[in-house]
Amino acid sequence: MFRRRESVPFSFVAEADRFRSNVTPPPRPRSTVSERAGRVLVGLAVVAGLVGSLLLGLPALGPEQAPSHTQQTEAAHKR
């Protein structure tokens, strides 16, 4: 058998496929009611912010209406 020329910290990388673990990770803990409620509230706040900004921004994005009468200064009337 030949020796590898890699240094010691990197020698395990090439042989990593040989060592498989049969240990399963522990199951994830279930989220509590307060955690779920917090996630729902954060989601609702984000959606409400997006809807609010859309409602407030739509008038600014609409086409400009021509005013029915123009305002003139008093100096323009005295000319």
Side-chain angles (χ1 to χ4, degrees):
M1 201 132 179
F2 66 98
R3 276 190 81 124
R4 295 190 186 272
R5 295 185 185 199
E6 293 122 359
S7 62
V8 174
F10 299 106
S11 63
F12 68 93
V13 176
E15 300 175 1
D17 57 350
R18 285 191 206 166
F19 303 102
R20 299 281 181 189
S21 175
N22 60 356
V23 178
T24 58
R28 292 181 61 186
R30 297 184 76 177
S31 59
T32 62
V33 175
S34 61
E35 287 176 343
R36 280 187 243 146
R39 289 183 191 138
V40 168
L41 287 176
V42 168
L44 285 175
V46 169
V47 170
L50 291 173
V51 169
S53 65
L54 185 67
L55 289 175
L56 292 175
L58 277 179
L61 295 173
E64 233 181 275
Q65 296 177 354
S68 59
H69 66 282
T70 59
Q71 293 180 351
Q72 294 179 353
T73 60
E74 292 179 13
H77 288 295
K78 294 180 181 177
R79 280 190 196 182

